[in-house]
Amino acid sequence: MLIDYKNVNIYQQGEKPVLSGVNFSVDEGEFIYIIGRVGSGKSSLLKSLYFELDIDEGDEATVIGHDIRRLKRKHIPALRRQMGVIFQDFQLLSDRNVYKNLHFVLKATGWKNKKDIDKRIAEVLTDVDMADKALKFPHELSGGEQQRIAIARAILNNPKIIIADEPTGNLDPETAESIIMLLKQISQTGTAIIMSTHNMLLLDKYPGVVYLCKDGGIEDVTKSYNELMLKE
Ligand SMILES: Nc1ncnc2c1ncn2[C@@H]1O[C@H](COP(=O)(O)OP(=O)(O)OP(=O)(O)O)[C@@H](O)[C@H]1O
């Protein structure tokens, strides 16, 4: 199991948790949607998974084989390296081209050999169907293309988990679908995908495990989400 939260509380600021009693588990290759209204805690859950928010450890809090209760701060960067993160607004570095955006990440994560670096960049760009865009600057790319580059960046180090916070939020429906298809393909190689979304159409078309954030908690609604949504 890649992630196992049992009875965990997640905090933004202050005494009261944003989400409490969280039970959440992720296996290799799973495709997980996090749904829920604005402000219901989707981003907070995702941020906790890459250690940007405080949690109390509850009965169990394991991320990629590490018990968070015993995790030292100095081990966080190594653990983060096994995760790829994708955002709604892409967050590419605007002052450099695609190649240099990817190069920057590889250098920062310890890659030294130029041949290996160039080979890996070519591989991930091919994976996301952007092999001809290496020399483009982010502003020369469409939103969908920028998100593909962000996905290429996320998979550079073969992560076990990709965390995507509304990855299709800024995209038109057709482009959104192509991004989900790409993430689905990646999940088939064993990488777990955890994505928040407001786009219920995607859930129908590309089924996965569905968690609903609601009333300060989170619930696995994979079987019943259609019914729940209709009632809201
Ligand atoms: N940086 C912050 N500091 C304090 N409180 C925050 C912060 N970010 C979010 N919150 C609060 O935490 C709660 C959950 O927010 P969160 O961003 O996790 O919701 P969300 O479901 O991702 O919303 P959205 O659909 O708008 O992205 C909200 O009440 C929000 O006001």
Side-chain angles (χ1 to χ4, degrees), residues 1-219:
M1 195 171 288
L2 290 171
I3 294 173
D4 193 14
Y5 274 10
K6 286 201 178 80
N7 200 23
V8 165
N9 295 334
I10 298 169
Y11 298 84
Q12 280 283 355
Q13 284 166 351
E15 308 267 294
K16 198 169 168 282
V18 173
L19 291 170
S20 47
V22 171
N23 296 314
F24 179 70
S25 62
V26 180
D27 271 325
E28 279 179 15
E30 270 192 311
F31 199 95
I32 298 188
Y33 294 102
I34 314 290
I35 61 170
R37 288 187 169 160
V38 167
S40 60
K42 303 181 293 298
S43 300
S44 303
L45 171 69
L46 297 184
K47 282 183 182 160
S48 81
L49 299 175
Y50 55 92
F51 315 110
E52 275 208 2
L53 283 187
D54 287 338
I55 67 170
D56 74 26
E57 293 90 345
D59 300 332
E60 177 88 54
T62 309
V63 176
I64 315 183
H66 288 78
D67 184 341
I68 295 183
R69 277 169 286 200
R70 277 184 262 143
L71 188 67
K72 302 226 165 64
R73 285 246 145 233
K74 65 175 184 195
H75 293 137
I76 288 180
L79 207 44
R80 274 201 183 133
R81 230 165 275 156
Q82 299 182 59
M83 302 179 181
V85 185
I86 300 165
F87 302 95
Q88 178 173 1
D89 58 357
F90 322 129
Q91 297 198 12
L92 300 174
L93 299 171
S94 58
D95 65 341
R96 62 198 78 185
N97 66 25
V98 165
Y99 171 85
K100 287 191 174 153
N101 264 274
L102 301 176
H103 186 270
F104 177 81
V105 173
L106 288 177
K107 279 294 215 185
T109 52
W111 291 59
K112 297 208 162 53
N113 182 297
K114 173 140 175 30
K115 249 194 194 157
D116 293 344
I117 288 177
D118 285 354
K119 181 164 171 268
R120 186 62 189 140
I121 290 174
E123 280 167 3
V124 294
L125 287 177
T126 302
D127 287 346
V128 301
D129 213 10
M130 291 280 108
D132 55 343
K133 302 289 193 237
L135 301 179
K136 296 281 185 198
F137 277 70
H139 70 266
E140 296 177 294
L141 301 172
S142 71
E145 289 170 339
Q146 288 189 57
Q147 197 58 301
R148 282 177 181 268
I149 302 302
I151 293 171
R153 180 179 59 186
I155 60 176
L156 276 169
N157 283 311
N158 290 313
K160 294 197 162 60
I161 303 172
I162 288 183
I163 296 170
D165 201 350
E166 282 200 56
T168 64
N170 282 345
L171 305 174
D172 63 75
E174 213 170 294
T175 311
E177 223 179 296
S178 76
I179 292 295
I180 297 303
M181 279 158 52
L182 177 57
L183 291 173
K184 275 271 174 186
Q185 263 174 35
I186 293 170
S187 76
Q188 277 151 18
T189 68
T191 303
I193 311 281
I194 309 167
M195 66 169 270
S196 67
T197 187
H198 286 284
N199 189 340
M200 295 305 133
L201 295 175
L202 293 177
L203 274 69
D204 286 338
K205 210 156 171 188
Y206 303 96
V209 177
V210 185
Y211 280 88
L212 172 68
C213 289
K214 196 179 169 189
D215 302 331
I218 181 165
E219 193 186 344

